[in-house]
Amino acid sequence: MASLRKLNSIFYGRVRYMDSGKQKEKLIPFNTKSKAKAKRLLPRIEERERLFKQGLITINNVFLADIPKIEDLTYEFIDYLKAKGDTEKTIDLYRLALVTFKDIFNSKDISLINKSDYTYFLEEMNKHYPNKNTLNIRLRSCRAFLNWCVEFDKLDSLPFKIKSVLTDRKKPKYFSNKEIEDILDQVKKDRNDELFARVKLHLNTGMRLREVETSFLNNGFIHIYKSKGKSERSIPVDNETAYYYDFIKNHSKYIPDTISKMFLDVLRRLNIDRTQGGDKRYFHCLRHTFAVKTYYLTRDIYRVKTLLGHSSVTTTEIYASFDIEQLENDFGSGNIGIQGDFRKDLFETRPNKPTYDKSNLPIRNYAFLPN
């Protein structure tokens, strides 16, 4: 049977055989100084040694079995994500991370990567992605790739455990009542009925922009069957919010990215596209507004967690981190952005089924919007 041999700190697989009555040996380089890795590679040599002794291959064909290149594995992984049904936008994020991963370990056999490489890997990732939030997104993608390699027998075990780096957790960026009033007034002036419906819908439900595509309305609830967290959830809505939802589902002509750009244009014209601290605002901040105001009015963090679809209340707790006096100034008057009356426990009673006639919904008609 093949055995290990160490020469100049490098491990080899040694195969002994008889040739013309003389015992000879062939050394197959493992290109590693790690005995543990060499032991993991040895069975590959033993398998080819058996083929040689059965006369199926020559001694020159006893070598370390070919291992897919990292680049080839990344292509396989992307194909797997496509087959799994991930969106192209999600797949693009994986591609960015895997290109970096390939560049870092370009000249190395993936099966020879081990714990000692983790520090180098993290240092290189930090160089490529100095922003910690972006870095964590890339690290999660690399982690998913390595887990896939193990699950589909590309690797015997994980070479190292990838951990997210600590970040300075920024508070959510929300809009005050006054800012929401200004936004809606501007959209009305622009006579952009779809954007108006979008703002009202997402402000009233906390839905992510793309969740409209994977949801349906039934009996006073918007049911989301596919979301970022992979979990389903239902959000109760009043008649007005259901009306906006149905209009978007049946008559929308803009893709989510276009909606985001139109919304950002409104913010810029109103000069509220950044917070006082200079952070950028965008369409997703309507979800933050819903969450912050819902908690402010209910003081029930678990209710907010359920409505947002978070898997852990720890994720939701950031929406409870604001000073109450500040929230009173921003949300103290009016009820813009929150559907129904939370103080009457809207979410503990089932709303009435919307009564509007879908057949009468106008197409591209600004007149349907409330004054």
Side-chain angles (χ1 to χ4, degrees):
M1 292 293 292
S3 59
L4 292 179
R5 184 173 179 185
K6 189 176 183 181
L7 291 174
N8 298 322
S9 300
I10 300 297
F11 280 95
Y12 293 78
R14 178 171 57 186
V15 176
R16 290 176 173 172
Y17 63 99
M18 299 299 295
D19 183 17
S20 301
K22 296 181 179 180
Q23 187 177 41
K24 296 184 178 181
E25 68 176 31
K26 180 178 177 64
L27 298 180
I28 295 92
F30 286 164
N31 299 318
T32 179
K33 297 180 180 180
S34 168
K35 188 174 183 179
K37 284 186 177 180
K39 285 183 176 180
R40 290 205 305 269
L41 295 172
L42 187 60
R44 303 185 186 188
I45 299 301
E46 291 174 343
E47 175 63 27
R48 299 188 73 81
E49 180 187 25
R50 282 193 289 270
L51 294 175
F52 163 65
K53 290 183 176 179
Q54 291 171 11
L56 299 176
I57 61 175
T58 66
I59 188 61
N60 290 329
N61 287 326
V62 178
F63 53 84
L64 193 62
D66 291 337
I67 300 171
K69 296 179 180 178
I70 292 178
E71 185 174 9
D72 294 334
L73 289 175
T74 61
Y75 290 145
E76 284 188 49
F77 180 61
I78 293 300
D79 289 340
Y80 162 76
L81 296 177
K82 290 178 179 178
K84 192 161 65 76
D86 284 5
T87 65
E88 190 59 36
K89 188 172 183 179
T90 299
I91 292 173
D92 283 342
L93 292 177
Y94 279 107
R95 283 196 183 100
L96 290 171
L98 295 179
V99 167
T100 308
F101 186 90
K102 178 178 68 69
D103 289 343
I104 293 173
F105 295 115
N106 188 38
S107 61
K108 203 160 192 174
D109 183 334
I110 194 170
S111 68
L112 300 181
I113 300 172
N114 63 22
K115 289 181 180 179
S116 64
D117 296 311
Y118 184 62
T119 300
Y120 170 71
F121 165 73
L122 200 55
E123 288 174 350
E124 291 300 308
M125 290 294 287
N126 270 287
K127 291 178 184 177
H128 282 82
Y129 307 107
N131 181 287
K132 291 184 178 179
N133 291 317
T134 303
L135 173 62
N136 279 332
I137 293 173
R138 302 291 182 265
L139 290 175
R140 286 196 295 270
S141 297
C142 292
R143 182 165 61 228
F145 169 65
L146 290 178
N147 287 337
W148 172 84
C149 286
V150 173
E151 182 180 353
F152 288 86
D153 298 324
K154 313 296 182 181
L155 285 173
D156 295 329
S157 60
L158 289 175
F160 43 65
K161 185 176 180 181
I162 300 178
K163 300 179 181 179
S164 298
V165 299
L166 294 177
T167 60
D168 297 326
R169 201 175 186 190
K170 292 185 177 181
K171 288 187 176 182
K173 298 180 283 290
Y174 66 85
F175 299 105
S176 67
N177 279 359
K178 177 62 170 61
E179 290 171 329
I180 290 299
E181 289 176 350
D182 292 342
I183 290 170
L184 293 175
D185 285 344
Q186 183 60 57
V187 175
K188 282 184 178 181
K189 291 177 183 177
D190 295 339
R191 303 185 67 81
N192 191 333
D193 52 352
E194 183 172 343
L195 182 57
F196 186 96
R198 281 279 190 177
V199 172
K200 292 288 287 186
L201 172 66
H202 293 274
L203 192 65
N204 289 354
T205 62
M207 293 174 66
R208 298 178 180 89
L209 187 55
R210 295 181 182 276
E211 286 180 336
V212 174
E213 300 170 3
T214 56
S215 62
F216 62 91
L217 175 66
N218 183 49
N219 199 28
F221 283 83
I222 293 175
H223 301 276
I224 301 170
Y225 55 86
K226 183 178 180 181
S227 66
K228 181 180 178 182
K230 312 298 183 187
S231 60
E232 299 180 6
R233 73 182 191 278
S234 298
I235 305 171
V237 293
D238 55 20
N239 280 357
E240 182 181 320
T241 305
Y243 189 66
Y244 294 131
Y245 175 85
D246 203 57
F247 177 82
I248 294 167
K249 286 289 281 188
N250 289 285
H251 306 298
S252 173
K253 67 175 185 179
Y254 299 118
I255 62 174
D257 286 347
T258 301
I259 293 293
S260 294
K261 291 176 182 177
M262 291 191 301
F263 184 76
L264 183 57
D265 177 63
V266 171
L267 296 185
R268 285 171 177 164
R269 283 185 283 145
L270 293 171
N271 198 29
I272 57 173
D273 57 313
R274 290 183 180 270
T275 65
Q276 290 184 349
D279 293 327
K280 292 181 180 179
R281 283 167 150 180
Y282 33 83
F283 192 93
H284 195 72
C285 294
L286 293 173
R287 176 173 165 87
H288 296 331
T289 305
F290 171 83
V292 172
K293 191 165 186 179
T294 301
Y295 177 75
Y296 168 62
L297 293 177
T298 66
R299 308 298 168 88
D300 187 342
I301 196 67
Y302 288 96
R303 180 176 295 183
V304 179
K305 169 187 174 295
T306 300
L307 292 171
L308 294 181
H310 289 163
S311 58
S312 170
V313 74
T314 304
T315 306
T316 318
E317 286 173 349
I318 192 171
Y319 297 106
S321 61
F322 292 93
D323 178 74
I324 295 300
E325 184 176 351
Q326 176 187 347
L327 296 180
E328 287 178 352
N329 291 331
D330 291 333
F331 301 132
S333 61
N335 201 27
I336 292 177
I338 296 294
Q339 39 147 358
D341 187 350
F342 279 79
R343 300 186 189 282
K344 291 183 180 179
D345 294 322
L346 171 66
F347 293 114
E348 293 177 8
T349 59
R350 193 173 182 83
N352 294 325
K353 184 177 180 179
T355 56
Y356 59 84
D357 185 356
K358 295 181 181 180
S359 63
N360 292 329
L361 279 175
I363 300 177
R364 311 267 51 87
N365 184 354
Y366 182 77
F368 90 93
L369 295 176
N371 294 323

